Amino acid sequence: MPAPLPALTTQADRLAALGLLPDDGPLDAAALRSAAAHLATHAPDGSLLVVHPRHLRPSTLAPHLTRSVRTRSGTVDREGFVVVDMADADEFAPTGLEEPLADVYAVVGPDRGDDLANWSPAEAAPELERRGRSPLTLAEGLHWVLQAPDALERNRCFMTIGSRLRKADGTFDTRTPAVWISNGTGRDGSQRRGAAKVGWCWWGNRHTWLGFASAVSRVA
């Protein structure tokens, strides 16, 4: 299982160090740290700090999910990436959950859902609801891997079914976002073997290496 998350203020420092928040934007590094300090007064230990995707989109976060990978020539750091057939990743919106409107919020009790591996999203969604848990969004899942890289392990990765894409006709796209480790095959390319990968799976399909990330609640 992933290691416990650091303090929310430490997570804020990690995000600020990436330089993704412009100094002249509505949310700068100082505001992020201030928000984290406020959340730390009432969010339980082990909570995950999340910047609302209006400020940090999934496609912006993905390259920063760096993983150290062994190769024949030595250990290299490989950036995360979004698969080419999910160029619309940022359009997948929170579905079936209440996402806080705050610029920064905390996700309480994140869990990878290993016990739900080999369930389909269609099967896992009502089970998470039965357990009183809320599925993570794609943005939340990426924040988790950013703060705790060991949230991704070979054959122990996760789907983020809290994000779905509604089509023009009102129905849902059957792709479901997931985060796992690339094998470097196909269009990924061998240069991406071992990298964190933002991809998708069909709503009705099962995968033995994918659990369903969820949380107890969200607080702002």
Side-chain angles (χ1 to χ4, degrees), residues 30-54:
L32 171 63
R33 290 188 171 99
S34 177
H38 170 70
L39 286 167
T41 64
H42 58 282
D45 290 344
S47 295
L48 171 68
L49 189 71
V50 175
V51 174
H52 196 284
R54 64 175 170 266

Side-chain angles (χ1 to χ4, degrees), residues 142-195:
L142 295 181
H143 275 85
W144 192 16
V145 178
L146 182 69
Q147 299 288 354
D150 63 348
L152 288 187
E153 299 178 69
R154 183 67 67 181
N155 298 320
R156 287 289 185 272
C157 301
F158 59 85
M159 302 187 75
T160 54
I161 61 174
S163 292
R164 299 201 68 186
L165 177 64
R166 193 178 291 278
K167 299 189 291 187
D169 64 3
T171 62
F172 284 112
D173 192 304
T174 53
R175 291 174 299 162
T176 307
V179 190
W180 72 92
I181 299 171
S182 173
N183 286 327
T185 57
R187 287 183 292 181
D188 290 0
S190 59
Q191 73 280 6
R192 283 176 164 162
R193 186 179 185 280

